[in-house]
Amino acid sequence: MGLTLLLGGARSGKSALALRRAAAASGPVVFIATGEALDAEMEARIARHRAERDPAWTTVEAPLDLHGTLAQAPARACVLVDCLSFWVANLLRSGLGEAEILERTAAAAALARRRVGATIAVSNEVGMGVIPEYELGRRYRDLLGWVNAAWAERAEEALLVVAGRTLRLEAAR
């Protein structure tokens, strides 16, 4: 089935596309949610996302252990990871360094690629905007860029989603 990576900016349509693709998959769907409700706005955001999902899907909240959660998913299920952006932010906030985050990235992306069922991963493309003013913002932007590249390298399909439209991303040669 393969690994698909959907990249895009905020409100670009990447999560909506991921939901449609997961709904079209045959068999069960496991939705891996990485966001945490740390404030009221995030609680409301998570509630909106939950309402958009098929209630028959299994939702697993995994803010830190993406690899373990992927490993526990039924082999033939379609797994939707939404999103790598929050996962990286959570890992940074937990105190992990860049090297360990990149090791976890390589392991999780490799596992996602090897799965029998389809895996759809969603992530923000944050490298095309303004350079963050603060060191932590720059570290996050750079790290997420490396994480996205690692997932794209292992993906059978990588799409950039902009304004609800997609562009296929080909490997740089």
Side-chain angles (χ1 to χ4, degrees):
M1 285 291 187
L3 171 60
T4 299
L5 177 64
L6 302 176
L7 294 169
R11 302 288 177 245
S12 62
K14 59 192 178 297
S15 291
L17 176 58
L19 292 173
R20 288 193 306 273
R21 285 184 165 214
S26 61
V29 175
V30 175
F31 187 99
I32 300 177
T34 62
E36 293 183 287
L38 301 176
D39 57 42
E41 185 276 334
M42 192 60 183
E43 281 181 25
R45 182 180 294 257
I46 289 171
R48 281 192 309 273
H49 277 282
R50 281 186 184 134
E52 295 170 348
R53 287 185 282 230
D54 186 323
W57 294 357
T58 300
T59 298
V60 180
E61 295 182 8
L64 297 172
D65 186 16
L66 183 54
H67 185 275
T69 306
L70 282 166
Q72 292 175 5
R76 297 197 183 285
C78 173
V79 173
L80 196 167
V81 178
D82 198 355
C83 70
L84 298 176
S85 313
F86 279 123
W87 178 63
V88 170
N90 296 338
L91 294 174
L92 273 174
R93 195 174 65 248
S94 77
L96 292 182
E98 291 176 5
E100 187 167 356
I101 292 171
L102 293 174
E103 287 174 18
R104 289 183 182 209
T105 294
L111 176 59
R113 180 179 176 89
R114 290 191 311 267
R115 292 190 67 257
V116 174
T119 303
I120 303 163
V122 176
S123 190
N124 287 345
E125 172 49 66
V126 297
M128 292 195 234
V130 175
I131 296 172
E133 179 178 355
Y134 298 99
E135 185 266 341
L136 178 59
R138 290 187 300 272
R139 278 185 54 221
Y140 173 75
R141 180 209 50 195
D142 292 347
L143 185 56
L144 185 57
W146 294 323
V147 167
N148 288 344
W151 279 76
E153 180 182 327
R154 290 160 180 85
E156 289 181 17
E157 179 180 44
L159 300 174
L160 178 64
V161 184
V162 179
R165 302 295 178 126
T166 61
L167 295 169
R168 184 169 308 281
L169 301 176
E170 301 297 332
R173 307 232 184 259

